[in-house]
Amino acid sequence: EAQVTQNPRYLITVTGKKLTVTCSQNMNHEYMSWYRQDPGLGLRQIYYSMNVEVTDKGDVPEGYKVSRKEKRNFPLILESPSPNQTSLYFCASSFLGSYNEQFFGPGTRLTVL
Amino acid sequence: RKEVEQDPGPFNVPEGATVAFNCTYSNSASQSFFWYRQDCRKEPKLLMSVYSSGNEDGRFTAQLNRASQYISLLIRDSKLSDSATYLCVVLDTGFQKLVFGTGTRLLVSP
């Protein structure tokens, strides 16, 4: 089944404790992206990647890191999480040039205390 | 001004009603437009693209007015299963990314 998977789905953590949210897709997509969704602000792009070893900042990259060592995986790293990073996070992927049809993962609900 | 603006709703309608959502976008150079659907706490999914000539998919009709920078979605004969948040989305070709509106919530009641 074609899909984007994220882990964990839910996470409660404390300020400053490094964490990684994994994202994996099995559709051979070149393009992958991370979004956060907050009430009243909608989905905002954090980082994106056009292909292996090619990543770039989105609209709200502060406090986040990403890597793209393999085509299928695009982990999101929070080196020192803060409460303002409490949010719902979505990973998405698509073929290059087909950005309209991005396939989203199920989401990760993160709470930073 | 936000790049993509939508009325957050909620729109409360009875089953069988016709409901319309509107969306405005600020970048006149935008070329591609879409509606995504998002169920509560779930991932967004592409509902339909919006073409200049207008397009229909079953009970759903999307319209684009480039002069007014305005996009609409019309849902006819609403079903309970249509209850969701509808996201207006514009493709920013310069930065190769999707720009999402905050969504319009629809509640269809029996």
mmCIF file of all heavy atoms in Angstrom, chain A residues 9 31 35 37 40-43 45 48 50 58-59 88 90 99-107 109, chain B residues 2-3 32 34 36 38 41-46 49 87 91-93 95-103:
data_model
loop_
_atom_site.group_PDB
_atom_site.id
_atom_site.type_symbol
_atom_site.label_atom_id
_atom_site.label_comp_id
_atom_site.label_asym_id
_atom_site.label_seq_id
_atom_site.Cartn_x
_atom_site.Cartn_y
_atom_site.Cartn_z
ATOM 1 N N ARG A 9 3.247 8.788 16.775
ATOM 2 C CA ARG A 9 2.014 9.500 16.467
ATOM 3 C C ARG A 9 1.682 10.522 17.556
ATOM 4 O O ARG A 9 1.093 11.564 17.272
ATOM 5 C CB ARG A 9 0.855 8.506 16.332
ATOM 6 C CG ARG A 9 0.998 7.532 15.165
ATOM 7 C CD ARG A 9 0.798 8.246 13.839
ATOM 8 N NE ARG A 9 -0.384 9.094 13.860
ATOM 9 C CZ ARG A 9 -1.623 8.652 13.737
ATOM 10 N NH1 ARG A 9 -1.853 7.365 13.551
ATOM 11 N NH2 ARG A 9 -2.630 9.504 13.763
ATOM 12 N N TYR A 31 10.252 14.549 -3.662
ATOM 13 C CA TYR A 31 9.953 15.714 -2.825
ATOM 14 C C TYR A 31 9.347 15.269 -1.506
ATOM 15 O O TYR A 31 8.386 14.496 -1.472
ATOM 16 C CB TYR A 31 8.985 16.632 -3.573
ATOM 17 C CG TYR A 31 8.645 17.927 -2.875
ATOM 18 C CD1 TYR A 31 9.400 19.079 -3.080
ATOM 19 C CD2 TYR A 31 7.543 18.013 -2.021
ATOM 20 C CE1 TYR A 31 9.078 20.276 -2.464
ATOM 21 C CE2 TYR A 31 7.220 19.201 -1.401
ATOM 22 C CZ TYR A 31 7.982 20.329 -1.618
ATOM 23 O OH TYR A 31 7.666 21.504 -0.995
ATOM 24 N N TYR A 35 5.401 19.960 7.758
ATOM 25 C CA TYR A 35 4.517 21.061 8.100
ATOM 26 C C TYR A 35 4.171 20.975 9.585
ATOM 27 O O TYR A 35 4.147 19.901 10.165
ATOM 28 C CB TYR A 35 3.193 20.974 7.336
ATOM 29 C CG TYR A 35 3.295 21.071 5.837
ATOM 30 C CD1 TYR A 35 3.493 19.933 5.061
ATOM 31 C CD2 TYR A 35 3.156 22.291 5.190
ATOM 32 C CE1 TYR A 35 3.564 20.013 3.677
ATOM 33 C CE2 TYR A 35 3.215 22.377 3.813
ATOM 34 C CZ TYR A 35 3.427 21.238 3.070
ATOM 35 O OH TYR A 35 3.491 21.338 1.698
ATOM 36 N N GLN A 37 0.892 22.368 12.064
ATOM 37 C CA GLN A 37 -0.446 22.935 11.987
ATOM 38 C C GLN A 37 -0.879 23.419 13.354
ATOM 39 O O GLN A 37 -0.892 22.640 14.320
ATOM 40 C CB GLN A 37 -1.444 21.901 11.458
ATOM 41 C CG GLN A 37 -2.825 22.485 11.206
ATOM 42 C CD GLN A 37 -3.756 21.500 10.527
ATOM 43 O OE1 GLN A 37 -3.686 20.297 10.750
ATOM 44 N NE2 GLN A 37 -4.640 22.016 9.682
ATOM 45 N N GLY A 40 -5.792 28.472 13.898
ATOM 46 C CA GLY A 40 -5.792 29.850 13.413
ATOM 47 C C GLY A 40 -4.632 30.206 12.494
ATOM 48 O O GLY A 40 -4.624 31.280 11.898
ATOM 49 N N LEU A 41 -3.666 29.303 12.382
ATOM 50 C CA LEU A 41 -2.488 29.592 11.535
ATOM 51 C C LEU A 41 -2.392 28.651 10.350
ATOM 52 O O LEU A 41 -1.593 28.873 9.442
ATOM 53 C CB LEU A 41 -1.209 29.503 12.369
ATOM 54 C CG LEU A 41 -1.086 30.514 13.498
ATOM 55 C CD1 LEU A 41 0.171 30.246 14.311
ATOM 56 C CD2 LEU A 41 -1.041 31.939 12.933
ATOM 57 N N GLY A 42 -3.144 27.585 10.362
ATOM 58 C CA GLY A 42 -3.109 26.653 9.251
ATOM 59 C C GLY A 42 -1.825 25.850 9.197
ATOM 60 O O GLY A 42 -1.031 25.815 10.141
ATOM 61 N N LEU A 43 -1.598 25.240 8.058
ATOM 62 C CA LEU A 43 -0.398 24.438 7.832
ATOM 63 C C LEU A 43 0.727 25.339 7.366
ATOM 64 O O LEU A 43 0.568 26.093 6.400
ATOM 65 C CB LEU A 43 -0.666 23.390 6.753
ATOM 66 C CG LEU A 43 -1.386 22.144 7.219
ATOM 67 C CD1 LEU A 43 -2.246 21.585 6.100
ATOM 68 C CD2 LEU A 43 -0.368 21.110 7.659
ATOM 69 N N GLN A 45 4.911 25.404 6.345
ATOM 70 C CA GLN A 45 6.016 24.527 5.964
ATOM 71 C C GLN A 45 7.241 24.817 6.824
ATOM 72 O O GLN A 45 7.655 25.959 6.980
ATOM 73 C CB GLN A 45 6.347 24.718 4.485
ATOM 74 C CG GLN A 45 7.301 23.672 3.948
ATOM 75 C CD GLN A 45 7.615 23.888 2.492
ATOM 76 O OE1 GLN A 45 8.005 24.975 2.081
ATOM 77 N NE2 GLN A 45 7.425 22.860 1.679
ATOM 78 N N TYR A 48 11.786 21.458 3.544
ATOM 79 C CA TYR A 48 11.461 20.571 2.458
ATOM 80 C C TYR A 48 12.735 20.035 1.828
ATOM 81 O O TYR A 48 13.836 20.565 2.052
ATOM 82 C CB TYR A 48 10.568 21.256 1.404
ATOM 83 C CG TYR A 48 11.214 22.394 0.661
ATOM 84 C CD1 TYR A 48 11.809 22.189 -0.584
ATOM 85 C CD2 TYR A 48 11.197 23.684 1.178
ATOM 86 C CE1 TYR A 48 12.386 23.242 -1.275
ATOM 87 C CE2 TYR A 48 11.776 24.730 0.490
ATOM 88 C CZ TYR A 48 12.366 24.504 -0.739
ATOM 89 O OH TYR A 48 12.933 25.553 -1.421
ATOM 90 N N MET A 50 14.127 18.359 -2.004
ATOM 91 C CA MET A 50 13.840 18.040 -3.405
ATOM 92 C C MET A 50 14.411 16.674 -3.793
ATOM 93 O O MET A 50 13.989 16.089 -4.797
ATOM 94 C CB MET A 50 14.431 19.105 -4.312
ATOM 95 C CG MET A 50 14.008 20.514 -3.959
ATOM 96 S SD MET A 50 12.326 20.853 -4.457
ATOM 97 C CE MET A 50 12.614 21.298 -6.151
ATOM 98 N N GLY A 58 11.709 26.128 4.982
ATOM 99 C CA GLY A 58 10.377 26.585 4.621
ATOM 100 C C GLY A 58 10.100 27.910 5.312
ATOM 101 O O GLY A 58 11.000 28.735 5.475
ATOM 102 N N ASP A 59 8.879 28.087 5.761
ATOM 103 C CA ASP A 59 8.489 29.357 6.364
ATOM 104 C C ASP A 59 8.834 29.475 7.844
ATOM 105 O O ASP A 59 9.028 30.567 8.358
ATOM 106 C CB ASP A 59 6.971 29.544 6.213
ATOM 107 C CG ASP A 59 6.561 29.613 4.758
ATOM 108 O OD1 ASP A 59 7.256 30.330 3.994
ATOM 109 O OD2 ASP A 59 5.570 28.969 4.382
ATOM 110 N N LEU A 88 0.764 20.054 15.890
ATOM 111 C CA LEU A 88 0.482 18.849 15.103
ATOM 112 C C LEU A 88 1.380 18.906 13.875
ATOM 113 O O LEU A 88 1.334 19.884 13.124
ATOM 114 C CB LEU A 88 -0.991 18.816 14.708
ATOM 115 C CG LEU A 88 -1.473 17.653 13.848
ATOM 116 C CD1 LEU A 88 -1.202 16.314 14.526
ATOM 117 C CD2 LEU A 88 -2.959 17.813 13.558
ATOM 118 N N PHE A 90 2.920 17.284 10.295
ATOM 119 C CA PHE A 90 2.649 16.412 9.158
ATOM 120 C C PHE A 90 3.856 16.359 8.242
ATOM 121 O O PHE A 90 4.456 17.381 7.916
ATOM 122 C CB PHE A 90 1.458 16.920 8.344
ATOM 123 C CG PHE A 90 0.130 16.758 9.020
ATOM 124 C CD1 PHE A 90 -0.501 17.848 9.591
ATOM 125 C CD2 PHE A 90 -0.492 15.522 9.073
ATOM 126 C CE1 PHE A 90 -1.731 17.711 10.211
ATOM 127 C CE2 PHE A 90 -1.725 15.369 9.688
ATOM 128 C CZ PHE A 90 -2.337 16.468 10.260
ATOM 129 N N TYR A 99 3.516 18.914 -7.009
ATOM 130 C CA TYR A 99 3.340 19.393 -5.641
ATOM 131 C C TYR A 99 1.880 19.502 -5.245
ATOM 132 O O TYR A 99 1.543 19.503 -4.068
ATOM 133 C CB TYR A 99 4.018 20.756 -5.472
ATOM 134 C CG TYR A 99 5.438 20.776 -5.958
ATOM 135 C CD1 TYR A 99 5.798 21.509 -7.075
ATOM 136 C CD2 TYR A 99 6.421 20.034 -5.316
ATOM 137 C CE1 TYR A 99 7.095 21.517 -7.532
ATOM 138 C CE2 TYR A 99 7.727 20.036 -5.766
ATOM 139 C CZ TYR A 99 8.051 20.777 -6.884
ATOM 140 O OH TYR A 99 9.340 20.785 -7.346
ATOM 141 N N ASN A 100 0.996 19.615 -6.259
ATOM 142 C CA ASN A 100 -0.419 19.716 -5.948
ATOM 143 C C ASN A 100 -0.923 18.480 -5.234
ATOM 144 O O ASN A 100 -1.754 18.556 -4.339
ATOM 145 C CB ASN A 100 -1.220 19.935 -7.219
ATOM 146 C CG ASN A 100 -0.986 18.821 -8.229
ATOM 147 O OD1 ASN A 100 0.159 18.583 -8.602
ATOM 148 N ND2 ASN A 100 -2.026 18.163 -8.661
ATOM 149 N N GLU A 101 -0.417 17.333 -5.617
ATOM 150 C CA GLU A 101 -0.889 16.116 -4.995
ATOM 151 C C GLU A 101 0.147 15.581 -4.027
ATOM 152 O O GLU A 101 0.862 14.618 -4.324
ATOM 153 C CB GLU A 101 -1.248 15.054 -6.021
ATOM 154 C CG GLU A 101 -2.019 13.907 -5.371
ATOM 155 C CD GLU A 101 -2.658 12.963 -6.361
ATOM 156 O OE1 GLU A 101 -2.354 13.088 -7.568
ATOM 157 O OE2 GLU A 101 -3.429 12.122 -5.919
ATOM 158 N N GLN A 102 0.215 16.217 -2.900
ATOM 159 C CA GLN A 102 1.117 15.744 -1.863
ATOM 160 C C GLN A 102 0.376 14.724 -1.012
ATOM 161 O O GLN A 102 -0.785 14.909 -0.657
ATOM 162 C CB GLN A 102 1.605 16.897 -1.000
ATOM 163 C CG GLN A 102 2.548 17.819 -1.765
ATOM 164 C CD GLN A 102 3.265 18.813 -0.888
ATOM 165 O OE1 GLN A 102 3.418 18.634 0.313
ATOM 166 N NE2 GLN A 102 3.708 19.897 -1.502
ATOM 167 N N PHE A 103 1.062 13.654 -0.693
ATOM 168 C CA PHE A 103 0.513 12.615 0.173
ATOM 169 C C PHE A 103 1.018 12.884 1.586
ATOM 170 O O PHE A 103 2.227 12.997 1.804
ATOM 171 C CB PHE A 103 0.963 11.238 -0.303
ATOM 172 C CG PHE A 103 0.361 10.844 -1.611
ATOM 173 C CD1 PHE A 103 0.919 11.270 -2.810
ATOM 174 C CD2 PHE A 103 -0.771 10.050 -1.657
ATOM 175 C CE1 PHE A 103 0.359 10.918 -4.028
ATOM 176 C CE2 PHE A 103 -1.333 9.690 -2.870
ATOM 177 C CZ PHE A 103 -0.772 10.123 -4.055
ATOM 178 N N PHE A 104 0.081 12.986 2.493
ATOM 179 C CA PHE A 104 0.429 13.327 3.864
ATOM 180 C C PHE A 104 0.483 12.102 4.768
ATOM 181 O O PHE A 104 -0.298 11.150 4.585
ATOM 182 C CB PHE A 104 -0.601 14.309 4.438
ATOM 183 C CG PHE A 104 -0.431 15.719 3.958
ATOM 184 C CD1 PHE A 104 -0.874 16.100 2.707
ATOM 185 C CD2 PHE A 104 0.196 16.662 4.758
ATOM 186 C CE1 PHE A 104 -0.710 17.405 2.252
ATOM 187 C CE2 PHE A 104 0.363 17.973 4.321
ATOM 188 C CZ PHE A 104 -0.089 18.335 3.067
ATOM 189 N N GLY A 105 1.385 12.142 5.716
ATOM 190 C CA GLY A 105 1.387 11.149 6.763
ATOM 191 C C GLY A 105 0.252 11.411 7.730
ATOM 192 O O GLY A 105 -0.416 12.443 7.640
ATOM 193 N N PRO A 106 0.040 10.515 8.691
ATOM 194 C CA PRO A 106 -1.101 10.626 9.609
ATOM 195 C C PRO A 106 -0.960 11.701 10.674
ATOM 196 O O PRO A 106 -1.919 12.006 11.374
ATOM 197 C CB PRO A 106 -1.155 9.238 10.264
ATOM 198 C CG PRO A 106 0.255 8.756 10.205
ATOM 199 C CD PRO A 106 0.814 9.301 8.931
ATOM 200 N N GLY A 107 0.213 12.274 10.798
ATOM 201 C CA GLY A 107 0.410 13.349 11.775
ATOM 202 C C GLY A 107 1.043 12.864 13.062
ATOM 203 O O GLY A 107 0.862 11.711 13.471
ATOM 204 N N ARG A 109 1.276 14.319 16.986
ATOM 205 C CA ARG A 109 0.861 15.360 17.937
ATOM 206 C C ARG A 109 1.912 15.452 19.029
ATOM 207 O O ARG A 109 2.104 14.519 19.801
ATOM 208 C CB ARG A 109 -0.501 15.033 18.524
ATOM 209 C CG ARG A 109 -1.040 16.134 19.425
ATOM 210 C CD ARG A 109 -2.524 16.011 19.671
ATOM 211 N NE ARG A 109 -3.320 16.271 18.492
ATOM 212 C CZ ARG A 109 -3.625 17.485 18.033
ATOM 213 N NH1 ARG A 109 -3.194 18.559 18.662
ATOM 214 N NH2 ARG A 109 -4.384 17.629 16.971
ATOM 215 N N LYS B 2 -2.616 37.811 4.821
ATOM 216 C CA LYS B 2 -2.261 36.415 4.609
ATOM 217 C C LYS B 2 -2.273 36.090 3.120
ATOM 218 O O LYS B 2 -3.035 36.672 2.355
ATOM 219 C CB LYS B 2 -3.284 35.519 5.316
ATOM 220 C CG LYS B 2 -3.157 35.541 6.835
ATOM 221 C CD LYS B 2 -4.146 34.572 7.455
ATOM 222 C CE LYS B 2 -4.043 34.598 8.956
ATOM 223 N NZ LYS B 2 -5.053 33.734 9.588
ATOM 224 N N GLU B 3 -1.424 35.140 2.741
ATOM 225 C CA GLU B 3 -1.359 34.753 1.332
ATOM 226 C C GLU B 3 -2.653 34.116 0.854
ATOM 227 O O GLU B 3 -3.065 34.305 -0.291
ATOM 228 C CB GLU B 3 -0.211 33.785 1.115
ATOM 229 C CG GLU B 3 1.171 34.424 1.249
ATOM 230 C CD GLU B 3 2.277 33.454 0.924
ATOM 231 O OE1 GLU B 3 2.426 33.087 -0.255
ATOM 232 O OE2 GLU B 3 2.986 33.036 1.855
ATOM 233 N N SER B 32 -1.758 27.792 -9.860
ATOM 234 C CA SER B 32 -2.438 26.528 -9.570
ATOM 235 C C SER B 32 -3.125 26.581 -8.216
ATOM 236 O O SER B 32 -2.557 27.095 -7.252
ATOM 237 C CB SER B 32 -1.424 25.377 -9.583
ATOM 238 O OG SER B 32 -0.773 25.311 -10.829
ATOM 239 N N PHE B 34 -6.114 24.575 -5.448
ATOM 240 C CA PHE B 34 -6.668 23.278 -5.072
ATOM 241 C C PHE B 34 -7.547 23.424 -3.844
ATOM 242 O O PHE B 34 -7.409 24.367 -3.067
ATOM 243 C CB PHE B 34 -5.530 22.298 -4.749
ATOM 244 C CG PHE B 34 -4.402 22.357 -5.747
ATOM 245 C CD1 PHE B 34 -3.297 23.139 -5.488
ATOM 246 C CD2 PHE B 34 -4.477 21.661 -6.927
ATOM 247 C CE1 PHE B 34 -2.264 23.236 -6.405
ATOM 248 C CE2 PHE B 34 -3.456 21.745 -7.856
ATOM 249 C CZ PHE B 34 -2.347 22.539 -7.587
ATOM 250 N N TYR B 36 -8.278 21.009 -0.529
ATOM 251 C CA TYR B 36 -7.976 19.814 0.238
ATOM 252 C C TYR B 36 -9.059 19.664 1.299
ATOM 253 O O TYR B 36 -9.633 20.651 1.753
ATOM 254 C CB TYR B 36 -6.616 19.928 0.948
ATOM 255 C CG TYR B 36 -5.423 19.476 0.141
ATOM 256 C CD1 TYR B 36 -5.009 20.174 -0.988
ATOM 257 C CD2 TYR B 36 -4.680 18.365 0.538
ATOM 258 C CE1 TYR B 36 -3.896 19.754 -1.716
ATOM 259 C CE2 TYR B 36 -3.559 17.942 -0.175
ATOM 260 C CZ TYR B 36 -3.180 18.648 -1.292
ATOM 261 O OH TYR B 36 -2.079 18.231 -2.006
ATOM 262 N N GLN B 38 -9.806 18.019 5.165
ATOM 263 C CA GLN B 38 -9.147 17.489 6.352
ATOM 264 C C GLN B 38 -10.202 17.121 7.385
ATOM 265 O O GLN B 38 -10.939 17.985 7.858
ATOM 266 C CB GLN B 38 -8.160 18.507 6.950
ATOM 267 C CG GLN B 38 -7.373 17.950 8.125
ATOM 268 C CD GLN B 38 -6.323 18.907 8.654
ATOM 269 O OE1 GLN B 38 -6.411 20.115 8.481
ATOM 270 N NE2 GLN B 38 -5.295 18.373 9.289
ATOM 271 N N ARG B 41 -8.420 16.065 13.107
ATOM 272 C CA ARG B 41 -7.164 15.490 13.592
ATOM 273 C C ARG B 41 -6.544 14.469 12.631
ATOM 274 O O ARG B 41 -5.703 13.679 13.023
ATOM 275 C CB ARG B 41 -7.350 14.852 14.974
ATOM 276 C CG ARG B 41 -7.766 15.860 16.030
ATOM 277 C CD ARG B 41 -8.096 15.185 17.338
ATOM 278 N NE ARG B 41 -8.532 16.142 18.337
ATOM 279 C CZ ARG B 41 -7.738 16.718 19.215
ATOM 280 N NH1 ARG B 41 -6.464 16.429 19.243
ATOM 281 N NH2 ARG B 41 -8.213 17.582 20.082
ATOM 282 N N LYS B 42 -6.990 14.516 11.367
ATOM 283 C CA LYS B 42 -6.404 13.606 10.382
ATOM 284 C C LYS B 42 -5.579 14.405 9.371
ATOM 285 O O LYS B 42 -5.552 15.630 9.405
ATOM 286 C CB LYS B 42 -7.529 12.855 9.635
ATOM 287 C CG LYS B 42 -8.374 11.976 10.522
ATOM 288 C CD LYS B 42 -7.698 10.684 10.779
ATOM 289 C CE LYS B 42 -8.529 9.731 11.607
ATOM 290 N NZ LYS B 42 -9.499 8.977 10.842
ATOM 291 N N GLU B 43 -4.933 13.681 8.473
ATOM 292 C CA GLU B 43 -4.106 14.361 7.481
ATOM 293 C C GLU B 43 -4.953 14.970 6.365
ATOM 294 O O GLU B 43 -6.016 14.436 6.025
ATOM 295 C CB GLU B 43 -3.082 13.381 6.873
ATOM 296 C CG GLU B 43 -3.667 12.322 5.959
ATOM 297 C CD GLU B 43 -4.121 11.086 6.697
ATOM 298 O OE1 GLU B 43 -4.420 11.173 7.917
ATOM 299 O OE2 GLU B 43 -4.177 10.027 6.052
ATOM 300 N N PRO B 44 -4.502 16.065 5.774
ATOM 301 C CA PRO B 44 -5.211 16.648 4.630
ATOM 302 C C PRO B 44 -5.121 15.720 3.421
ATOM 303 O O PRO B 44 -4.119 15.042 3.224
ATOM 304 C CB PRO B 44 -4.442 17.941 4.342
ATOM 305 C CG PRO B 44 -3.612 18.191 5.551
ATOM 306 C CD PRO B 44 -3.330 16.864 6.150
ATOM 307 N N LYS B 45 -6.178 15.744 2.614
ATOM 308 C CA LYS B 45 -6.185 14.953 1.381
ATOM 309 C C LYS B 45 -6.713 15.812 0.249
ATOM 310 O O LYS B 45 -7.654 16.591 0.434
ATOM 311 C CB LYS B 45 -7.058 13.707 1.546
ATOM 312 C CG LYS B 45 -6.491 12.707 2.533
ATOM 313 C CD LYS B 45 -7.331 11.456 2.629
ATOM 314 C CE LYS B 45 -6.723 10.479 3.627
ATOM 315 N NZ LYS B 45 -7.543 9.273 3.808
ATOM 316 N N LEU B 46 -6.110 15.657 -0.917
ATOM 317 C CA LEU B 46 -6.528 16.428 -2.077
ATOM 318 C C LEU B 46 -7.964 16.099 -2.449
ATOM 319 O O LEU B 46 -8.309 14.937 -2.670
ATOM 320 C CB LEU B 46 -5.601 16.137 -3.261
ATOM 321 C CG LEU B 46 -5.934 16.849 -4.566
ATOM 322 C CD1 LEU B 46 -5.779 18.367 -4.417
ATOM 323 C CD2 LEU B 46 -5.044 16.323 -5.690
ATOM 324 N N SER B 49 -8.599 19.787 -7.905
ATOM 325 C CA SER B 49 -7.900 20.947 -8.437
ATOM 326 C C SER B 49 -8.939 21.951 -8.910
ATOM 327 O O SER B 49 -10.103 21.606 -9.118
ATOM 328 C CB SER B 49 -7.001 20.528 -9.594
ATOM 329 O OG SER B 49 -6.040 19.589 -9.153
ATOM 330 N N LEU B 87 -9.682 23.046 3.051
ATOM 331 C CA LEU B 87 -8.512 23.913 2.956
ATOM 332 C C LEU B 87 -8.336 24.415 1.531
ATOM 333 O O LEU B 87 -8.280 23.621 0.589
ATOM 334 C CB LEU B 87 -7.250 23.133 3.369
ATOM 335 C CG LEU B 87 -7.279 22.445 4.733
ATOM 336 C CD1 LEU B 87 -6.031 21.585 4.920
ATOM 337 C CD2 LEU B 87 -7.367 23.478 5.837
ATOM 338 N N LEU B 91 -0.551 26.960 -5.125
ATOM 339 C CA LEU B 91 0.820 26.509 -5.382
ATOM 340 C C LEU B 91 1.708 27.712 -5.650
ATOM 341 O O LEU B 91 1.449 28.485 -6.574
ATOM 342 C CB LEU B 91 0.848 25.566 -6.585
ATOM 343 C CG LEU B 91 2.234 25.067 -7.019
ATOM 344 C CD1 LEU B 91 2.892 24.268 -5.899
ATOM 345 C CD2 LEU B 91 2.128 24.226 -8.290
ATOM 346 N N ASP B 92 2.729 27.855 -4.829
ATOM 347 C CA ASP B 92 3.716 28.913 -5.027
ATOM 348 C C ASP B 92 4.804 28.330 -5.920
ATOM 349 O O ASP B 92 5.690 27.633 -5.443
ATOM 350 C CB ASP B 92 4.286 29.337 -3.671
ATOM 351 C CG ASP B 92 5.318 30.449 -3.789
ATOM 352 O OD1 ASP B 92 5.985 30.550 -4.839
ATOM 353 O OD2 ASP B 92 5.477 31.206 -2.823
ATOM 354 N N THR B 93 4.716 28.599 -7.212
ATOM 355 C CA THR B 93 5.657 27.960 -8.134
ATOM 356 C C THR B 93 7.076 28.473 -7.934
ATOM 357 O O THR B 93 8.031 27.763 -8.192
ATOM 358 C CB THR B 93 5.237 28.199 -9.591
ATOM 359 O OG1 THR B 93 4.965 29.587 -9.769
ATOM 360 C CG2 THR B 93 3.971 27.421 -9.921
ATOM 361 N N PHE B 95 8.644 29.107 -5.099
ATOM 362 C CA PHE B 95 9.283 28.367 -4.026
ATOM 363 C C PHE B 95 8.898 26.890 -4.023
ATOM 364 O O PHE B 95 9.256 26.151 -3.125
ATOM 365 C CB PHE B 95 8.957 29.004 -2.675
ATOM 366 C CG PHE B 95 9.615 30.338 -2.484
ATOM 367 C CD1 PHE B 95 8.943 31.504 -2.798
ATOM 368 C CD2 PHE B 95 10.908 30.428 -2.018
ATOM 369 C CE1 PHE B 95 9.549 32.735 -2.645
ATOM 370 C CE2 PHE B 95 11.524 31.660 -1.850
ATOM 371 C CZ PHE B 95 10.839 32.813 -2.160
ATOM 372 N N GLN B 96 8.146 26.503 -5.025
ATOM 373 C CA GLN B 96 7.770 25.098 -5.192
ATOM 374 C C GLN B 96 7.164 24.532 -3.919
ATOM 375 O O GLN B 96 7.626 23.528 -3.377
ATOM 376 C CB GLN B 96 8.983 24.274 -5.636
ATOM 377 C CG GLN B 96 9.500 24.734 -6.978
ATOM 378 C CD GLN B 96 10.862 24.155 -7.334
ATOM 379 O OE1 GLN B 96 11.709 23.997 -6.481
ATOM 380 N NE2 GLN B 96 11.053 23.849 -8.594
ATOM 381 N N LYS B 97 6.148 25.213 -3.431
ATOM 382 C CA LYS B 97 5.495 24.736 -2.225
ATOM 383 C C LYS B 97 4.015 25.082 -2.282
ATOM 384 O O LYS B 97 3.572 25.946 -3.040
ATOM 385 C CB LYS B 97 6.114 25.392 -0.997
ATOM 386 C CG LYS B 97 5.849 26.878 -0.891
ATOM 387 C CD LYS B 97 6.348 27.451 0.413
ATOM 388 C CE LYS B 97 5.920 28.897 0.564
ATOM 389 N NZ LYS B 97 6.377 29.490 1.837
ATOM 390 N N LEU B 98 3.268 24.380 -1.453
ATOM 391 C CA LEU B 98 1.845 24.661 -1.305
ATOM 392 C C LEU B 98 1.654 25.655 -0.166
ATOM 393 O O LEU B 98 2.288 25.533 0.876
ATOM 394 C CB LEU B 98 1.076 23.382 -0.979
ATOM 395 C CG LEU B 98 1.087 22.283 -2.040
ATOM 396 C CD1 LEU B 98 0.298 21.079 -1.557
ATOM 397 C CD2 LEU B 98 0.520 22.798 -3.356
ATOM 398 N N VAL B 99 0.780 26.632 -0.397
ATOM 399 C CA VAL B 99 0.429 27.593 0.641
ATOM 400 C C VAL B 99 -1.015 27.314 1.033
ATOM 401 O O VAL B 99 -1.916 27.368 0.180
ATOM 402 C CB VAL B 99 0.579 29.043 0.149
ATOM 403 C CG1 VAL B 99 0.210 30.011 1.261
ATOM 404 C CG2 VAL B 99 2.003 29.287 -0.342
ATOM 405 N N PHE B 100 -1.226 27.025 2.285
ATOM 406 C CA PHE B 100 -2.540 26.604 2.765
ATOM 407 C C PHE B 100 -3.282 27.753 3.442
ATOM 408 O O PHE B 100 -2.693 28.521 4.205
ATOM 409 C CB PHE B 100 -2.387 25.481 3.787
ATOM 410 C CG PHE B 100 -1.966 24.165 3.202
ATOM 411 C CD1 PHE B 100 -0.632 23.913 2.921
ATOM 412 C CD2 PHE B 100 -2.892 23.176 2.943
ATOM 413 C CE1 PHE B 100 -0.231 22.700 2.384
ATOM 414 C CE2 PHE B 100 -2.509 21.958 2.410
ATOM 415 C CZ PHE B 100 -1.177 21.724 2.122
ATOM 416 N N GLY B 101 -4.585 27.815 3.192
ATOM 417 C CA GLY B 101 -5.435 28.658 4.011
ATOM 418 C C GLY B 101 -5.658 27.958 5.343
ATOM 419 O O GLY B 101 -5.307 26.780 5.509
ATOM 420 N N THR B 102 -6.285 28.679 6.272
ATOM 421 C CA THR B 102 -6.497 28.105 7.599
ATOM 422 C C THR B 102 -7.681 27.138 7.637
ATOM 423 O O THR B 102 -7.868 26.432 8.615
ATOM 424 C CB THR B 102 -6.715 29.210 8.637
ATOM 425 O OG1 THR B 102 -7.744 30.070 8.179
ATOM 426 C CG2 THR B 102 -5.438 30.019 8.839
ATOM 427 N N GLY B 103 -8.465 27.133 6.559
ATOM 428 C CA GLY B 103 -9.543 26.149 6.485
ATOM 429 C C GLY B 103 -10.896 26.698 6.871
ATOM 430 O O GLY B 103 -11.007 27.637 7.676
#
